[in-house]
Each structure stands twice: as structure tokens, then as C-alpha cells.
Amino acid sequence: MGATALKWQGWLVGLVGLAGLLVFAPLGLYVWASGGDRDPAAPPPGPVVQDVRVTACRVDPVSRRVVGVVEVTGRPDAGPGSYVVTVEFRDREEAGGRAAQALVKIPGVAPGATERGEALGPVWPPATVPWCGVAAAEPAPETR
């Protein structure tokens, strides 16, 4: 094996190492930035989630669909606005498996005021009691 062959092998090892770095470095940064130690069942951190709660969770007797009543309290330090809330429906409070979700938009929430909305979920099995919770919430731009 000559010096030329060793030179090409060195370049090949360097290029493979660089390719690996280009592929796995963004993945590592994504995992690090996403905060892997956060509980996946907890709502995402942020000031909006504290302003939102589910006040009732029931099964509609006619349609057999689960309904979650959502309550949003406007922040006193912010102007009026709308909220988009993701409500999660499960058969028990503990997270496990895949849960059904629904979006509800609550428009016109004034500072300090409380507004309500209903999230309509899937048809619910007769023998189980539903659990409803806030999966996410964010302010929505006002549309006119």
C-alpha cells in the first residue's frame, strides 16, 4: 500500500466523520433544546396555560360525545384577545397511550374577565368516565 492510498483513506475517514457530525449534531441540539426531562403529560410551560382550565367534563346524553367546558381568564396586564385551547380527552387522568384532542377558540377575552367555551370530543364508550384536560393554550390573533 503506497502513500497515496493512505492519503485517500485519511480523507475518507475525515469526510465520513464530517458527514456524521452534520447529520447527528442538529439532532442532538434538537433533543437538548426540547428539554427531555419535561413530563409529557404536563401542559407546555408558558403564561397562557395558567389562565386556562377545564371546569367540566361530561358526556352528552343524546350524541354520546364527550364535552369539555373551558374557562379562560384574561390577563390584567394585556389587552383583549382570543385564545386557542387544545383540550385532551382520556379515560383516566394518567397519561398513557394516545388521547383524543379538540381545539376551541374563545374570542373577545377582556383583561380580568372570564369567558367560557366548549370543546366537543369523540363519541364516548358507555362504560367509561371521561377525563378532560388542557393540553395546550396560546393567544390567537384577533380577526375582524
Side-chain angles (χ1 to χ4, degrees), residues 46-107:
V48 175
V49 174
Q50 349 174 13
D51 303 334
V52 180
R53 65 189 184 118
V54 175
T55 59
C57 187
R58 62 180 170 77
V59 177
D60 181 64
V62 176
S63 67
R64 296 293 308 155
R65 294 181 76 147
V66 65
V67 179
V69 179
V70 179
E71 186 175 89
V72 176
T73 303
R75 294 187 155 261
D77 57 346
S82 297
Y83 290 81
V84 175
V85 181
T86 304
V87 179
E88 190 169 87
F89 306 99
R90 297 192 300 247
D91 59 354
R92 60 186 172 279
E93 189 171 347
E94 299 87 31
R98 194 169 180 174
Q101 293 184 341
L103 292 176
V104 60
K105 182 175 182 180
I106 302 176

